[in-house]
Amino acid sequence: MKRYIAFILGMIFIGSFFVVNKQIVREVPVFLASEIRLLSGSCFLYLIGAFRKDISLHINRIDIRMILLQVFFGIFLFSLFSLNGLKRTSAVNSGAIMGLTPVFLLILGLFIKREKLTSRTLGIFLIACIGLIILQIGQTDRSMSSSLSGDILIFFAMIGESIFISASQFIKGTVHPLAMSAFMTFIGSLMFMPLALFTMQGFDWTSVNAMTWACVLYSGIGITAIGVFLMNYGAAKIPLSITATLSTLMPASTCLLAVVFLHEELNKFQIIGLCLILSSALFTVSRSKNSTKADKST
């Protein structure tokens, strides 16, 4: 049950990525913003690990390859595609495109992990997908702020995120989620460092307002550190068919946060779609709770 709640909270944090970074990319170069985000997140996680003596930050060699794969696709390429895509499309539209993540996760679970798909899981997944379709229908903003090139970049970011989530299922050692998240963000910062140093030349740091710097700090600590940690903690033990359903909360939270912070409006289609997505998440959590009780009784 704890892992389900953690994964849900992680999806909400990560869903805020598109809303927050919509503001950031207006004033801070993409590579520099990514470097600050990853470096601050890494420092935060290692600081927590230093005070937690019961947590080992050691990672087995056998898991390093898989973690490096996660970093390259889910952090480096995801950041590269998503931040450049946000310059060309809206935050809400980005969230809707990221809604394809559950489909890719379900496919990976069926064909790579060979997971069995029960009728109940399939039914809940279909409810979530119907919600995403209705949410997509409700996207009425197809103006200049939502270009095809931006949508394509977000689509590639979605593929990277899907690989990132599913790859955690293949970690063979007993790597603590905190250690894994800290290692991922640190390696990600190393990947972006040469590009960030190049874009720093001639950059006017005083031109960035306080709100944008606050967004950068939240993006590093809130999303990259806390959000990724919660997602890794939950995804490690939850079947991909279930994570596929719960990952629909990522685009749903993007839409809701875009309404609150970017002052975008929700129409009736979007409200219905969000209700279906939230319902599927509640059904999934209630299913896990019932499974836990059944296991304890046997």
Side-chain angles (χ1 to χ4, degrees), residues 275-291:
C275 287
L276 288 173
I277 290 171
L278 293 174
S279 298
S280 68
L282 290 174
F283 287 144
T284 303
V285 172
S286 64
R287 175 177 178 262
S288 71
K289 189 174 182 180
N290 293 333
S291 302

Side-chain angles (χ1 to χ4, degrees), residues 20 92-93 104 110 113 141 143 157 173 186 194 209 211 222 235 254 278 280:
V20 171
V92 172
N93 202 44
F104 276 78
L110 292 174
K113 292 284 288 184
D141 180 16
S143 59
F186 176 71
N209 61 47
M211 178 59 71
T254 299
L278 293 174
S280 68

Side-chain angles (χ1 to χ4, degrees), residues 212-261:
T212 301
W213 284 126
C215 288
V216 172
L217 188 63
Y218 167 78
S219 183
I221 297 176
I223 301 173
T224 303
I226 299 175
V228 172
F229 164 72
L230 291 172
M231 188 201 69
N232 283 331
Y233 176 75
K237 298 295 181 182
I238 301 176
L240 277 175
S241 56
I242 302 299
T243 60
T245 301
L246 293 178
S247 63
T248 57
L249 289 171
M250 179 171 53
S253 63
T254 299
C255 292
L256 289 174
L257 292 170
V259 171
V260 175
F261 295 103

Side-chain angles (χ1 to χ4, degrees), residues 3 44 51 56 75 85 101 106 132 134 150 174 177 233 251 264 268:
R3 292 185 182 273
F44 179 79
F51 285 98
S56 174
I75 293 181
T101 304
L106 188 67
L132 287 171
I134 296 175
T174 55
Y233 176 75
E264 298 183 12
K268 61 182 180 181

Side-chain angles (χ1 to χ4, degrees), residues 100-292:
L100 291 171
T101 304
V103 179
F104 276 78
L105 288 176
L106 188 67
I107 293 172
L108 289 171
L110 292 174
F111 292 98
I112 298 178
K113 292 284 288 184
R114 303 293 182 182
E115 294 180 357
K116 293 182 179 179
L117 189 62
T118 64
S119 57
R120 181 182 175 86
T121 302
L122 180 61
I124 295 174
F125 177 77
L126 290 176
I127 291 174
C129 285
I130 292 171
L132 287 171
I133 292 170
I134 296 175
L135 192 66
Q136 183 66 33
I137 293 173
Q139 300 298 321
T140 56
D141 180 16
R142 299 296 180 184
S143 59
M144 188 272 294
S145 62
S146 297
S147 69
L148 179 61
S149 61
D151 291 348
I152 291 173
L153 288 171
I154 298 297
F155 178 80
F156 284 126
M158 180 274 301
I159 295 176
E161 181 70 8
S162 300
I163 296 173
F164 181 81
I165 296 174
S166 59
S168 61
Q169 298 271 333
F170 297 91
I171 302 296
K172 297 180 180 180
T174 55
V175 184
H176 194 280
L178 181 65
M180 185 162 60
S181 301
F183 182 73
M184 285 178 176
T185 52
F186 176 71
I187 296 299
S189 68
L190 291 181
M191 289 182 178
F192 272 107
M193 188 171 291
L195 300 171
L197 291 174
F198 178 77
T199 55
M200 278 177 58
Q201 300 178 10
F203 176 68
D204 185 8
W205 296 84
T206 60
S207 64
V208 183
N209 61 47
M211 178 59 71
T212 301
W213 284 126
C215 288
V216 172
L217 188 63
Y218 167 78
S219 183
I221 297 176
I223 301 173
T224 303
I226 299 175
V228 172
F229 164 72
L230 291 172
M231 188 201 69
N232 283 331
Y233 176 75
K237 298 295 181 182
I238 301 176
L240 277 175
S241 56
I242 302 299
T243 60
T245 301
L246 293 178
S247 63
T248 57
L249 289 171
M250 179 171 53
S253 63
T254 299
C255 292
L256 289 174
L257 292 170
V259 171
V260 175
F261 295 103
L262 300 181
H263 308 293
E264 298 183 12
E265 295 183 358
L266 288 177
N267 55 42
K268 61 182 180 181
F269 290 103
Q270 292 171 314
I271 294 173
I272 294 172
L274 289 171
C275 287
L276 288 173
I277 290 171
L278 293 174
S279 298
S280 68
L282 290 174
F283 287 144
T284 303
V285 172
S286 64
R287 175 177 178 262
S288 71
K289 189 174 182 180
N290 293 333
S291 302
T292 304

